[in-house]
Amino acid sequence: MLVCQCNLITQKEVEDTIVSMLDEDPWQLIVPAKVYHTLSKRGRCCGCFPNVVETIIRVTEEYHHRHAESEGAEVVTYLDQVRALRERYGSRFNERRQKGYRAA
């Protein structure tokens, strides 16, 4: 499946790149720009970055889960924490603006 149509990058390429980066340093911060730099590409329209972020989170969680099973450690799921923050704060505090303030 294509993740980035501008650069013709597939889901498998992104996943393999993330795993190779995690093999080098399992606790490094991985962002889309770093993945694209490793692939010798660059973000053009950057519309694929949200999907790449979700892929980074998913692959990183799976990677740490595989390694935690062998060590007996606990894995923290980041997506669950993000969802909890969304439920806690919701969109009512979005930019601290009233709904009537929007132009559209």
Side-chain angles (χ1 to χ4, degrees), residues 4-97:
C4 177
Q5 294 177 354
C6 299
N7 292 306
L8 297 175
I9 300 174
T10 64
Q11 182 82 19
K12 181 74 172 144
E13 289 175 317
V14 172
E15 291 172 353
D16 292 343
T17 302
I18 295 167
V19 169
S20 69
M21 292 170 73
L22 289 170
D23 285 339
E24 293 171 13
D25 180 11
W27 298 106
Q28 67 178 307
L29 177 64
I30 300 176
V31 295
K34 203 170 187 178
V35 172
Y36 275 60
H37 180 73
T38 304
L39 290 169
S40 300
K41 308 282 185 177
R42 66 180 194 126
R44 294 185 181 165
C45 75
C46 301
C48 56
F49 277 22
N51 292 333
V52 173
V53 169
E54 289 181 14
T55 303
I56 290 170
I57 292 171
R58 180 179 48 81
V59 171
T60 303
E61 285 179 349
E62 290 171 0
Y63 180 89
H64 286 291
H65 187 68
R66 280 194 308 266
H67 287 84
E69 287 178 350
S70 62
E71 298 172 7
E74 183 180 339
V75 176
V76 177
T77 57
Y78 296 106
L79 285 178
D80 291 339
Q81 291 180 354
V82 170
R83 286 185 191 111
L85 288 172
R86 284 184 187 158
E87 289 175 7
R88 181 175 176 189
Y89 295 107
S91 61
R92 60 189 164 143
F93 295 113
N94 189 16
E95 298 180 9
R96 305 264 186 221
R97 295 182 179 171

